[in-house]
Amino acid sequence: MSDVVEKTLTALPSLLSLDSHPGSAKLSSTSKLGNLIRGITELTSKHEEEKLIQHELLAIKEQVSSPNTTMRQMKELMVRSIYCEMLGYEASFSYIHAIKLAQQGTVLEKRVGYLAVSLFLNESHELLLLLVNTVLKDLQSTNLIEVCMALTVVSQMFPKDMIPAILPLVEEKLNHPKEIIRRKAVLALYKFYLIAPNQVQHIHNKFRKALCDKDPGVMTASLHIYLQMIQENPDAYKDLTPSFVTILKQVVGGKLPMDFNYHTVPAPWLQIQLLRILALLGKNDQSTSEVMYEVLDESLRRAEMNHNITYAILYECVKCIYTIHPKSDLLEKAAKCIGNFVLSPKINLKYLGLKALTYVVQQDPKLALQHQMTIIECLDHPDLIIKRETLELLFRITNAQNVTVIVEKMLEFLCISEDDHTTIDLVGKVAELAEKYAPDNEWFIETMNTVFSLGGDMMQPDIPNSFLKLLSEGFDSVEEDRKLKLFAVNSYVPLLRGEPGKLPQRFLQVISWVLGEYSHLREDLEPAEVLSLLAKLLDMKNSSSETKSWVLMAMTKLCKGGTDASVTQEVSETYSSSLDTVLRQRAHELQYLSQDPELRARVLPRGANPETLEVDSSLSFLDRFVSEALAAGAAPYKPPHQRQEELDQSKALSLEPYGLSLPISMSSCSITDRQSPTLLSMSSGLSGDSADLSHKGGSSALKLDGVKRVWGREGYLAQREPVEEAAQVEVPSPIQSPGRQGEGDSLHSQTPTQTPTPEPEQEKQQLASSLFVGLASQSSVSLMGKSEPTPQRFRRKAKGQGPGSSFNASEQISSSLISPPSAVDNLLCNNLLDSNNASELAEQTSQLSQRLTTANGTCHTEAELTEPDTKGCNPALRRDNCVVAADPGPHDDPGRLTEVCLDSYLPAELSGLSHSEIAPLCANQSLNLSACHVQKEDSLILVVFIINSSESAIQQMLLQVDSEELEVSCLCDSPAGEMTSHSVAVGQYSLTVKRPAVHVEVVGTVSYQLPAGTSQSLQFSYKVPLTSFIRPFVVSTEEYGTMWLSFSHDTKQNLTLINDNQEPLTATLNALKKKLQLHVVEVIGMEGIVACRLLQDLPCLMHCRVNAGWLAVWLRSPVPDLPDCLIYHCQRALQSL
Amino acid sequence: MVCTDNIDFTIPLQPAADRRMIKFVLMVNRQGQTRLSRYYHSVELSRRAALEADVVRYCLSRKKDQCSFVEYKDFKVVYRQYAALYIVVGITDSENELSIYELVHNFVEVLDKYFSRVSVYFSLQSELDIMFNLDRVHIILDEMIQNGHIVETNKSRILAPLTAIDKMVES
């Protein structure tokens, strides 16, 4: 900041505070506001404040409702109310008066009324509706000041259901001769776009007009809308790139009027906004990026003045250059620019430099090398904020070689940090790095122990979960496996012997589980001792009941009866009467299993390879049960948030009569949905029946493992991914006490040629060499580790994953690594000699982490695949008859053959239509039954083929078909009577849905008499997915709107978006359209409306909206259960892509 | 289909529009008393006082030579001191801290410009107090920041509506 400005500002505090202020004393004695203000400034305690404000509130309340109060007094009352609310005391009685003031006041009073409204009410407040008329009136006023006020309040808050009422007026203002009115109108439209994008969909061309407005202020305002729209869909606005570039060029070139300057820099915030837009447009797009290279270069060049604001622009410029398609000379300049930042003595600049560096090292890790000494200095910076930001940077450049040093630095910071948020964040990062790059077992266990101790009970629950998963899955080598587990056991026993009371609950849980599973690996450790150590945990006062249940489970695994009996007996007796049902259950398990060694050995087998038990977390095996229950009239499951919402809706005023055609309140519900992202991913059941359960299971997956072990269920044996131990080959370190010090030494010893330098310098350089090792070697190593879609759940700040796919890093680096070879570089080079080993190591580690990913992932994917009746009930539809016919081959598949033959028996009128695969139903010695269904435009036909496969004719054959969910009507005469040998009879039935279910079933009986006279019957069932009954439903948007409001059954769900090259919404809707025969009525921006009907004419409407990477879907239908069933099929359809 | 592993749980639970934004502006004195507060995301009244006290305590504890940007919970705080008065701005992590730091200064310059001028209009004997003009300071701020975004930085344009109002009141 320049000194001149600083000086003028010293006058400000006297403006701003009251201390020893002669004028204010005069004022305060004359007004009530003055009294209040003086009162506030003289407060010395919270208690006094409360007394004062309560008193004030009473006074305001009294006066505000008096009929004699003038508008001028009312204005003062509102300001006093604002004061009360600012101090945290609600003045809700004054809200209505604020609205009145806006309505009836003139000029300043009106403005204060609007101001009070915008301060008091939130956007969903019901009173806001009362403001609509006032706004309408003011928008039509001839007084420009009033128009201005109305537009200002509209662009701050407005009930979104009422937008249509004022939209035409606001649009009109876009053509107003006054710049300020046009500008405010654009801002109002921006607000509308934010809260209800579909409402302003039709005026996109007017946005363009605003962008080209002759007034720079109006243009600037329109950039808000564009930034927003481009963020959502950059592809749609690529054609505007040259415009934005031209604008930026003009701004940078000083073409704007002088009053847009800030400290001689032309419109800096506008420049920043434009740079953000350009970054979004140029990302992953070479040709668009090329358009902007020149102006970016100029921006870098122009921003040379030494002022904070130019650095703010530079920062944005650097970010942009590193986001768009790279250009080497720009990158070089940007890198130099970052260098100036981090080297700056000004601490704010240093901070921003680190932040920029953190951003760019994701694209180019080697940039960190240039600044390694600065980074190390920052690491020791007295300001914790700088330290923290440096760790963030280091986190981004961690690889297998520097992980130990970086993690050590992070743990050091954790020890001094007092902020919970930082702790949670850092603990997650350390755990992530440890899992990804651990050089060896011991280091891993020790690091995780520190994580558990420091992270305490605040950390994300998946950290201990994935740790135990890793431990239990183990490695290929039995020996390695044993060592890892043994090391864990060895490190825990002393902890329990020490002061376990000081350990966090989560850590105790981990310890209990590990000891329960693996303490037998340590031969000199008596189970009795472990048992007594564990029992001690039960007696501790601060042990939570969750921990206790972990302990009890561990004891169940350990107890052998005999000598241990007394401890377990005592414990199980104590807890078998516990009020906590879980504890009671565990205690009973302990009791029974400890007394029955055989049973125990069976349910808790030990020593066998730890099998990964697959948990069908989608509970898909319940689908049948659920669909039957639904069919039997059970109410469909609604997730809690929906129930809550419905409850709220029934309580709240219904605003529906305002009758807008589209369901716009979607956004509110999808926010709640997103609070549990797992909800959807796991649910495959009917409308996510099992979702909540499985979600819970997910967050304590570990516990599930435990349960599974106890009740050891057969089946679902997963293919265990063999996990290789990575670093072990390279670093054969002693089992016990590897010690981080030793680790550091061994790293240093790799750098033999150390130039003699002063002691502290040398230390720093050693640190540098260990921190930045691996960055300069073939960058692919570390880049690979980063760019792989890793499984880590702990990424708190996803700071824009680098695009850089086509990024030629090595070329860029060779030119940017021009700093003279220093001692540090020497050290580095020496390190690089080992890069062969090093990269191997890194590769293996990244493999390890990848495998872990897959191991983690299998649970879900396989659960989805193994859903039992997928194959049977959802056969692919085929258009023609000749698909499978070609190759009967050596494998004589009887089913196939029949099918091929049967195609020709398909009734002529159906043969041209698409039909499902002809599936064999059942057979006995004389009859063979098959069936398929044929989709006609207005009906679904079931075709049953009866083949007499015996050598003799059968008599009195009768085919009966019936269904609970379906209306079955026989089309032509049902086949009956006699069937000669090797003949085929065909029955056709038209099916209509009575009661929607996910799959509907037809059951049938064929009865017949053998020539011998014995009567026989054969029963079959045939399942049809509901989708076969779905047809597109062609309606107009208006019709859709009317219908929407009249339908009473609905369901909401978030679906996955398809992200291929297309626009995700269109891609997803097209996929659904293709798979489920839906009709896409209209797509407006991020929303789409879709309609279908269930044969014959039962409509179901679907409203889709892209929201934070999900497709929020809302289905409505007059038919109960139809929305639920349909959403299920939508999920399946998107899953199977 | 979705696999939980691919979901980034850190995506803020708010519409995309709010990912880069100003969350609040505070003016606080050295005693930690709030002189002005404006929130651009909904924070319950009952929680505001605690949040303000927390943030302010944090800012006050910092020395002059320390960084003006601090982390507070899941957002960043940019603060700038003008003698006994602190202006504190809460922003999301993706905002440009330095540009906000300068925005604060721009705001102060606007206040400076306005109050040195109105003092003539109002013919008061001495400078005005922010506290006595809380409404006007709010009106100025409303011209600069809306919905958590910077909407105007041109000083004369920021002041235009307010000076127009003043003129009307005067006449």
Side-chain angles (χ1 to χ4, degrees):
Chain A
M1 191 192 324
S2 70
D3 289 340
V4 187
V5 190
E6 198 73 274
K7 251 179 229 160
T8 63
L9 288 169
T10 47
L12 192 72
S14 52
L15 286 176
L16 302 183
S17 77
L18 252 181
D19 309 320
S20 65
H21 199 293
S24 62
K26 188 182 158 209
L27 226 170
S28 55
S29 58
T30 58
S31 77
K32 289 193 175 140
L33 176 63
N35 278 333
L36 173 64
I37 290 171
R38 198 176 45 189
I40 291 173
T41 52
E42 285 166 0
L43 288 174
T44 54
S45 72
K46 190 77 196 160
H47 176 71
E48 270 182 41
E49 177 190 286
E50 199 172 329
K51 230 170 79 184
L52 175 79
I53 301 296
Q54 294 302 357
H55 183 260
E56 182 73 16
L57 281 173
L58 276 177
I60 298 173
K61 200 171 189 172
E62 196 178 315
Q63 215 187 334
V64 93
S65 44
S66 148
N68 301 325
T69 310
T70 64
M71 282 298 132
R72 198 196 167 98
Q73 287 167 323
M74 193 61 100
K75 187 204 116 198
E76 200 208 8
L77 285 169
M78 285 307 125
V79 177
R80 283 157 67 192
S81 300
I82 292 174
Y83 261 106
C84 295
E85 289 233 324
M86 188 169 84
L87 294 173
Y89 300 85
E90 205 185 75
S92 50
F93 60 85
S94 56
Y95 297 173
I96 187 76
H97 298 283
I99 289 176
K100 260 198 223 159
L101 183 62
Q103 198 176 7
Q104 296 162 8
T106 54
V107 212
L108 187 58
E109 288 131 27
K110 189 185 251 317
R111 182 64 186 91
V112 172
Y114 275 132
L115 171 70
V117 169
S118 76
L119 284 168
F120 291 154
L121 306 184
N122 64 37
E123 298 194 39
S124 50
H125 203 286
E126 282 173 17
L127 281 181
L128 216 51
L129 284 173
L130 298 178
L131 198 70
V132 174
N133 266 329
T134 314
V135 167
L136 259 176
K137 207 184 83 203
D138 286 342
L139 281 178
Q140 288 162 303
S141 163
T142 50
N143 183 341
L144 285 190
I145 294 179
E146 285 179 353
V147 179
C148 239
M149 287 177 196
L151 286 171
T152 304
V153 81
V154 164
S155 47
Q156 286 173 318
M157 53 185 354
F158 198 74
K160 64 178 167 189
D161 295 343
M162 301 309 294
I163 291 174
I166 61 161
L167 188 57
L169 283 171
V170 176
E171 274 183 69
E172 202 178 277
K173 303 285 183 252
L174 289 173
N175 298 319
H176 200 277
K178 284 276 184 204
E179 155 283 318
I180 188 167
I181 304 288
R182 293 203 302 278
R183 180 163 63 84
K184 287 193 175 279
V186 172
L187 289 174
L189 291 179
Y190 172 53
K191 179 67 183 180
F192 296 163
Y193 183 81
L194 286 180
I195 56 178
N198 54 330
Q199 304 264 2
V200 289
Q201 211 70 39
H202 62 288
I203 40 180
H204 276 202
N205 56 336
K206 293 195 177 159
F207 295 159
R208 291 205 179 215
K209 209 178 142 214
L211 181 66
C212 305
D213 198 286
K214 60 181 187 293
D215 183 88
V218 182
M219 180 273 295
T220 309
S222 78
L223 291 183
H224 288 290
I225 304 181
Y226 278 106
L227 180 67
Q228 187 62 34
M229 294 196 297
I230 291 169
Q231 226 161 12
E232 284 161 10
N233 181 15
D235 291 332
Y237 302 94
K238 299 271 183 186
D239 62 313
L240 285 174
T241 314
S243 311
F244 294 125
V245 167
T246 315
I247 296 172
L248 182 57
K249 224 177 250 172
Q250 291 178 352
V251 177
V252 172
K255 298 282 187 327
L256 291 188
M258 283 295 280
D259 60 350
F260 282 91
N261 288 3
Y262 172 75
H263 294 240
T264 71
V265 179
W269 291 277
L270 170 60
Q271 289 192 42
I272 288 172
Q273 185 88 335
L274 284 163
L275 286 167
R276 285 173 180 168
I277 289 177
L278 291 183
L280 289 171
L281 287 170
K283 191 172 181 180
N284 296 331
D285 184 340
Q286 184 171 0
S287 57
T288 309
S289 298
E290 277 164 2
V291 181
M292 49 187 89
Y293 288 150
E294 193 195 328
V295 74
L296 291 176
D297 193 47
E298 198 177 340
S299 291
L300 281 181
R301 210 151 25 82
R302 292 264 184 173
E304 271 165 356
M305 206 189 71
N306 180 22
H307 189 283
N308 274 335
I309 196 65
T310 56
Y311 294 119
I313 298 171
L314 276 179
Y315 169 79
E316 215 64 44
C317 202
V318 166
K319 264 184 91 172
C320 179
I321 288 170
Y322 270 91
T323 308
I324 63 170
H325 187 84
K327 181 165 191 273
S328 59
D329 70 314
L330 273 183
L331 290 173
E332 205 178 304
K333 284 178 191 169
K336 211 176 123 208
C337 196
I338 295 177
N340 292 340
F341 274 57
V342 277
L343 290 174
S344 167
K346 288 186 179 172
I347 193 152
N348 289 343
L349 281 191
K350 204 182 262 298
Y351 174 91
L352 212 63
L354 285 170
K355 197 175 164 183
L357 205 49
T358 308
Y359 181 78
V360 302
V361 290
Q362 291 167 73
Q363 270 80 359
D364 175 12
K366 276 173 266 175
L367 205 58
L369 278 178
Q370 290 177 33
H371 304 296
Q372 44 184 315
M373 291 318 281
T374 321
I375 293 174
I376 285 166
E377 271 159 27
C378 290
L379 209 49
D380 287 329
H381 202 280
D383 192 344
L384 281 190
I385 300 296
I386 297 288
K387 240 181 175 165
R388 174 84 178 82
E389 201 59 31
T390 314
L391 289 178
E392 191 71 36
L393 166 64
L394 289 178
F395 172 71
R396 307 281 159 176
I397 58 163
T398 310
N399 57 36
Q401 289 142 285
N402 59 17
V403 65
T404 48
V405 194
I406 289 179
V407 163
E408 193 186 325
K409 289 286 163 195
M410 288 180 153
L411 292 177
E412 266 172 31
F413 187 87
L414 267 175
C415 294
I416 49 170
S417 158
E418 286 169 354
D419 177 49
D420 289 355
H421 242 269
T422 315
T423 307
I424 296 170
D425 184 47
L426 266 185
V427 155
K429 283 182 170 141
V430 171
E432 179 183 339
L433 292 179
E435 262 189 43
K436 225 175 184 174
Y437 300 117
D440 58 66
N441 292 337
E442 291 77 6
W443 180 87
F444 178 64
I445 298 284
E446 288 203 334
T447 305
M448 291 309 286
N449 284 355
T450 323
V451 163
F452 292 138
S453 319
L454 291 174
D457 295 316
M458 289 181 294
M459 68 183 159
Q460 308 283 347
D462 44 3
I463 298 178
N465 288 351
S466 55
F467 170 73
L468 291 188
K469 194 164 192 165
L470 211 149
L471 208 60
S472 63
E473 277 164 358
F475 308 113
D476 251 2
S477 148
V478 179
E479 186 50 27
E480 276 320 313
D481 224 24
R482 206 185 65 84
K483 276 186 191 166
L484 175 68
K485 289 164 183 168
L486 188 60
F487 191 85
V489 172
N490 282 337
S491 73
Y492 295 157
V493 172
L495 286 174
L496 287 194
R497 283 184 186 145
E499 285 185 277
K502 286 184 177 165
L503 300 177
Q505 299 298 309
R506 290 254 176 76
F507 195 13
L508 290 176
Q509 291 162 14
V510 167
I511 292 177
S512 321
W513 190 84
V514 171
L515 290 182
E517 289 285 321
Y518 305 121
S519 65
H520 63 90
L521 292 174
R522 186 168 152 181
E523 277 147 17
D524 61 336
L525 191 64
E526 285 299 317
E529 190 191 346
V530 183
L531 278 175
S532 70
L533 283 174
L534 288 171
K536 216 166 77 187
L537 297 182
L538 290 173
D539 297 333
M540 278 177 352
K541 252 191 271 148
N542 49 358
S543 291
S544 68
S545 59
E546 197 190 346
T547 307
K548 284 179 184 168
S549 90
W550 284 73
V551 172
L552 286 175
M553 272 193 283
M555 292 179 86
T556 314
K557 290 170 197 162
L558 284 170
C559 65
K560 275 216 194 84
T563 49
D564 319 331
S566 60
V567 185
T568 52
Q569 195 60 34
E570 193 185 323
V571 167
S572 58
E573 268 168 25
T574 317
Y575 288 96
S576 57
S577 56
S578 165
L579 284 178
D580 186 314
T581 48
V582 178
L583 279 184
R584 202 153 65 203
Q585 161 133 5
R586 298 281 166 260
H588 280 296
E589 284 164 21
L590 174 60
Q591 195 162 28
Y592 286 118
L593 293 178
S594 65
Q595 284 162 4
D596 189 345
E598 251 176 58
L599 180 64
R600 195 178 139 278
R602 220 168 61 231
V603 297
L604 295 168
R606 165 190 290 172
N609 243 347
E611 70 224 28
T612 317
L613 286 154
E614 186 174 324
V615 181
D616 183 0
S617 56
S618 68
L619 304 188
S620 57
F621 52 87
L622 287 177
D623 282 358
R624 194 191 159 85
F625 171 79
V626 171
S627 59
E628 277 168 6
L630 279 177
Y637 173 81
K638 285 172 187 152
H641 65 87
Q642 195 185 338
R643 267 177 274 159
Q644 189 55 43
E645 212 171 69
E646 283 175 8
L647 211 66
D648 291 347
Q649 273 170 6
S650 62
K651 273 188 210 155
L653 285 172
S654 164
L655 294 172
E656 234 168 16
Y658 285 108
L660 293 161
S661 56
L662 285 179
I664 37 187
S665 60
M666 194 67 200
S667 54
S668 62
C669 84
S670 43
I671 288 172
T672 32
D673 280 352
R674 248 174 300 129
Q675 268 163 354
S676 50
T678 40
L679 206 95
L680 259 160
S681 58
M682 291 183 143
S683 76
S684 77
L686 261 182
S687 68
D689 305 47
S690 41
D692 256 28
L693 259 175
S694 54
H695 177 49
K696 258 184 212 154
S699 65
S700 59
L702 187 66
K703 208 166 163 190
L704 252 180
D705 286 352
V707 175
K708 277 287 180 185
R709 287 199 140 279
V710 177
W711 302 113
R713 186 179 152 103
E714 301 288 5
Y716 290 114
L717 281 184
Q719 293 287 327
R720 189 167 74 89
E721 290 279 335
V723 180
E724 269 172 43
E725 157 56 316
Q728 213 53 30
V729 199
E730 306 289 336
V731 193
S733 50
I735 311 172
Q736 304 268 356
S737 66
R740 274 177 231 126
Q741 192 47 51
E743 211 63 51
D745 284 350
S746 72
L747 270 167
H748 295 158
S749 64
Q750 291 174 351
T751 60
T753 52
Q754 286 168 359
T755 36
T757 32
E759 192 66 354
E761 267 309 294
Q762 199 177 334
E763 259 175 38
K764 278 185 182 170
Q765 283 173 6
Q766 282 188 351
L767 181 58
S769 68
S770 41
L771 275 177
F772 300 97
V773 63
L775 291 180
S777 61
Q778 266 314 319
S779 68
S780 56
V781 178
S782 44
L783 274 176
M784 231 170 62
K786 285 291 177 196
S787 56
E788 291 293 339
T790 45
Q792 273 68 25
R793 303 103 192 268
F794 322 129
R795 264 177 301 160
R796 289 199 51 78
K797 285 170 192 163
K799 293 198 172 171
Q801 281 281 19
S805 46
S806 54
F807 187 80
N808 189 345
S810 53
E811 173 203 290
Q812 193 271 319
I813 282 338
S814 56
S815 54
S816 62
L817 257 177
I818 40 165
S819 54
S822 65
V824 180
D825 285 326
N826 279 339
L827 291 176
L828 270 161
C829 289
N830 287 319
N831 257 330
L832 296 182
L833 294 179
D834 297 332
S835 66
N836 276 349
N837 279 348
S839 57
E840 237 177 80
L841 189 92
E843 227 150 7
Q844 286 184 5
T845 325
S846 78
Q847 270 174 16
L848 171 73
S849 65
Q850 272 173 293
R851 299 245 163 124
L852 289 173
T853 337
T854 36
N856 285 347
T858 41
C859 172
H860 303 285
T861 40
E862 287 193 8
E864 279 153 22
L865 290 178
T866 50
E867 175 138 345
D869 24 54
T870 330
K871 273 188 193 145
C873 61
N874 203 0
L877 284 168
R878 293 189 291 114
R879 254 226 171 253
D880 221 324
N881 300 355
C882 55
V883 180
V884 213
D887 178 32
H891 310 289
D892 251 4
D893 183 342
R896 281 266 162 94
L897 273 178
T898 4
E899 188 200 337
V900 174
C901 311
L902 284 174
D903 264 346
S904 57
Y905 286 96
L906 209 60
E909 69 271 22
L910 302 179
S911 61
L913 301 163
S914 68
H915 68 85
S916 69
E917 215 171 307
I918 300 178
L921 293 173
C922 59
N924 63 9
Q925 60 282 10
S926 44
L927 287 187
N928 237 323
L929 260 63
S930 300
C932 69
H933 53 273
V934 183
Q935 299 205 11
K936 287 173 78 174
E937 199 191 328
D938 273 312
S939 58
L940 188 81
I941 312 290
L942 171 71
V943 185
V944 183
F945 303 89
I946 308 167
I947 305 151
N948 182 355
S949 57
S950 68
E951 297 299 323
S952 49
I954 55 168
Q955 311 287 327
Q956 296 181 22
M957 196 267 292
L958 185 66
L959 172 61
Q960 284 177 315
V961 180
D962 196 13
S963 167
E964 280 189 34
E965 301 103 352
L966 297 169
E967 195 82 54
V968 183
S969 58
C970 190
L971 278 182
C972 38
D973 291 333
S974 203
E978 191 183 311
M979 267 184 91
T980 55
S981 167
H982 296 291
S983 68
V984 177
V986 178
Q988 286 182 58
Y989 301 88
S990 165
L991 305 179
T992 328
V993 178
K994 279 193 293 194
R995 241 189 349 241
V998 169
H999 295 113
V1000 287
E1001 199 174 21
V1002 179
V1003 289
T1005 322
V1006 186
S1007 58
Y1008 59 94
Q1009 277 192 351
L1010 288 174
T1014 46
S1015 57
Q1016 300 241 339
S1017 71
L1018 198 56
Q1019 283 170 349
F1020 65 88
S1021 70
Y1022 184 74
K1023 269 195 172 185
V1024 190
L1026 192 74
T1027 43
S1028 310
F1029 296 92
I1030 300 293
R1031 298 289 179 273
F1033 184 33
V1034 183
V1035 285
S1036 69
T1037 309
E1038 288 72 39
E1039 289 166 329
Y1040 180 101
T1042 334
M1043 273 190 278
W1044 179 270
L1045 292 177
S1046 62
F1047 293 168
S1048 50
H1049 298 277
D1050 71 339
T1051 190
K1052 293 172 190 170
Q1053 190 74 276
N1054 279 1
L1055 300 181
T1056 341
L1057 277 170
I1058 299 175
N1059 269 317
D1060 48 10
N1061 294 327
Q1062 288 189 60
E1063 200 268 307
L1065 177 64
T1066 326
T1068 314
L1069 289 184
N1070 282 342
L1072 287 176
K1073 182 181 167 183
K1074 212 170 115 204
K1075 291 226 165 194
L1076 302 177
Q1077 303 206 43
L1078 310 174
H1079 171 66
V1080 180
V1081 181
E1082 198 174 355
V1083 177
I1084 314 165
M1086 290 291 109
E1087 291 184 49
I1089 51 177
V1090 178
C1092 66
R1093 63 193 167 98
L1094 181 70
L1095 290 174
Q1096 295 292 327
D1097 298 303
L1098 305 171
C1100 187
L1101 305 179
M1102 196 167 154
H1103 174 260
C1104 309
R1105 183 183 146 91
V1106 178
N1107 203 336
W1110 291 94
L1111 187 68
V1113 176
W1114 190 357
L1115 287 152
R1116 275 197 177 189
S1117 168
V1119 189
D1121 303 342
L1122 183 55
D1124 287 301
C1125 299
L1126 210 59
I1127 196 88
Y1128 170 86
H1129 283 291
C1130 291
Q1131 274 183 35
R1132 303 294 308 211
L1134 293 176
Q1135 260 175 50
S1136 62
L1137 283 170
Chain B
M1 181 52 190
V2 212
C3 177
T4 43
D5 293 338
N6 295 334
I7 298 174
D8 190 342
F9 289 93
T10 64
I11 291 176
L13 301 172
Q14 19 176 273
D18 299 339
R19 274 187 209 153
R20 186 191 288 129
M21 65 174 287
I22 298 167
K23 299 188 123 194
F24 57 78
V25 176
L26 302 177
M27 287 174 109
V28 215
N29 69 7
R30 217 196 282 265
Q31 287 75 47
Q33 292 165 319
T34 308
R35 290 296 176 241
L36 174 134
S37 68
R38 183 58 142 148
Y39 288 82
Y40 300 101
H41 67 309
S42 65
V43 177
E44 282 166 45
L45 205 58
S46 52
R47 284 184 47 232
R48 291 184 186 182
L51 183 144
E52 286 162 22
D54 238 20
V55 168
V56 170
R57 188 157 11 92
Y58 200 17
C59 294
L60 291 177
S61 72
R62 296 182 59 82
K63 296 189 201 78
K64 266 236 156 85
D65 60 344
Q66 286 187 315
C67 187
S68 314
F69 320 132
V70 293
E71 276 181 52
Y72 177 77
K73 301 232 160 114
D74 53 345
F75 54 92
K76 292 258 171 79
V77 169
V78 174
Y79 67 92
R80 198 157 178 170
Q81 188 184 357
Y82 294 97
L85 204 77
Y86 284 78
I87 297 180
V88 184
V89 186
I91 54 173
T92 53
D93 189 49
S94 48
E95 254 301 351
N96 179 335
E97 287 89 349
L98 206 52
S99 80
I100 299 297
Y101 187 71
E102 287 306 306
L103 181 78
V104 168
H105 192 65
N106 194 35
F107 176 49
V108 170
E109 285 181 345
V110 173
L111 291 180
D112 199 37
K113 183 173 174 183
Y114 176 76
F115 285 108
S116 60
R117 196 169 60 191
V118 286
S119 59
V120 180
Y121 289 148
F122 281 67
S123 62
L124 293 176
Q125 294 160 332
S126 58
E127 308 98 335
L128 282 159
D129 280 308
I130 286 280
M131 290 185 82
F132 281 98
N133 290 288
L134 185 69
D135 46 352
R136 286 186 164 82
V137 179
H138 265 297
I139 292 169
I140 291 174
L141 190 59
D142 279 359
E143 291 296 320
M144 296 184 71
I145 305 174
Q146 273 176 9
N147 299 302
H149 300 282
I150 305 167
V151 295
E152 186 59 83
T153 53
N154 179 326
K155 291 189 185 70
S156 41
R157 292 189 173 199
I158 291 169
L159 290 178
L162 186 55
T163 39
I165 290 175
D166 285 338
K167 269 182 194 155
M168 274 196 68
V169 172
E170 212 179 350
S171 60

